Amino acid sequence: MKDKMTIILFSGEMDKAIAAFTLATTAAASNMDVTIFFTFWGLNILKRSVIATSKSQNILQKMFNTMSTSRLPITKLNMFGLGPWMMKKLMKKSKMASLDELMKLAKQLNVKYIACTTSCGVLGLTKENLIDDVNEFAGAAAYLAEARESKVNLFI
Amino acid sequence: MEINKTLDCIGLFCPMPVIKTKMELENMKSGEVLEILADDPGFIKDLPAWCIMSGENFLEIKNENGVVKGYVMKK
């Protein structure tokens, strides 16, 4: 049986997501089954378009999804978006893998994505708002069922 | 040691050298030797650690004037 790794991706910052996906891809390349459970701000990483609004959302949900988007900030020195732009430039220059590249690799390596249905419900997000790479929509019990079998479990 | 293939990871950072190593080995036959060139100093510890997890046969890793050369035999 393969070892398992589970990650709760709660944060919606680019730097934290890169850390999570660096570990997820490495584990998946090291003969482990990897599951990432996206909840709260972590769902921004999975949004299909920058502003994930839809007709079925109420006014508060629309406001929320307009302000909290897939254009991810960074944890420090965000400077209204200048920080992420600078960081992306630096990473490209030093040939560090970008979040997009890591996410493509994660799918190639069969990393499983679970989107939290409670967070989706609160924010009015549906399958249509998120990328096709999401494998499952589920809750805490589905996550725990995987996490209790896993050897490595992280909250990021 | 007979080298069957060389993988150039110069300029790449973690996790790319390890992931490229895995992908390259997938296209090789059992018993063949892959040479990996890298310049991320972390790779010196990462390659043997990855071999333990993946079950691939770690042969050697050395640092020659800043170029790390690793050798893995496909299981």
Side-chain angles (χ1 to χ4, degrees), chain A residues 26-91:
Chain A
T26 306
S30 306
N31 209 22
M32 293 171 88
D33 281 329
V34 184
T35 299
I36 308 178
F37 185 78
F38 295 82
T39 186
F40 282 85
W41 312 107
L43 287 172
N44 282 347
I45 298 160
L46 299 178
K47 282 179 181 170
R48 195 187 288 273
S49 54
V50 175
I51 297 173
T53 50
S54 56
K55 278 187 183 148
S56 57
Q57 290 170 4
N58 64 38
I59 185 79
L60 279 177
Q61 289 168 331
K62 277 181 187 154
M63 275 169 68
F64 222 94
N65 288 315
T66 305
M67 292 184 291
S68 175
T69 71
S70 64
R71 204 164 278 154
L72 308 176
I74 53 177
T75 315
K76 287 193 195 300
L77 301 173
N78 190 53
M79 301 182 288
F80 300 101
L82 193 62
W85 177 78
M86 281 162 61
M87 188 178 244
K88 274 186 202 162
K89 278 223 133 171
L90 275 174
M91 282 168 47

Side-chain angles (χ1 to χ4, degrees), chain A residues 91-109:
Chain A
M91 282 168 47
K92 206 171 177 184
K93 215 174 166 189
S94 61
K95 286 203 210 166
M96 191 177 152
S98 67
L99 181 58
D100 284 348
E101 287 171 274
L102 288 171
M103 286 182 76
K104 260 188 213 131
L105 273 175
K107 275 294 122 179
Q108 259 178 293
L109 295 163

Side-chain angles (χ1 to χ4, degrees), chain B residues 26-40:
Chain B
E26 273 175 9
N27 302 321
M28 292 174 70
K29 292 190 202 93
S30 179
E32 286 188 331
V33 174
L34 175 67
E35 176 186 54
I36 309 114
L37 309 178
D39 58 355
D40 174 5

Side-chain angles (χ1 to χ4, degrees), chain B residues 30-64:
Chain B
S30 179
E32 286 188 331
V33 174
L34 175 67
E35 176 186 54
I36 309 114
L37 309 178
D39 58 355
D40 174 5
F43 192 61
I44 295 172
K45 295 281 180 193
D46 275 0
L47 184 66
W50 176 78
C51 287
I52 291 170
M53 291 190 288
S54 61
E56 301 292 349
N57 301 305
F58 172 72
L59 301 177
E60 192 189 353
I61 194 145
K62 55 190 178 188
N63 191 338
E64 282 181 7

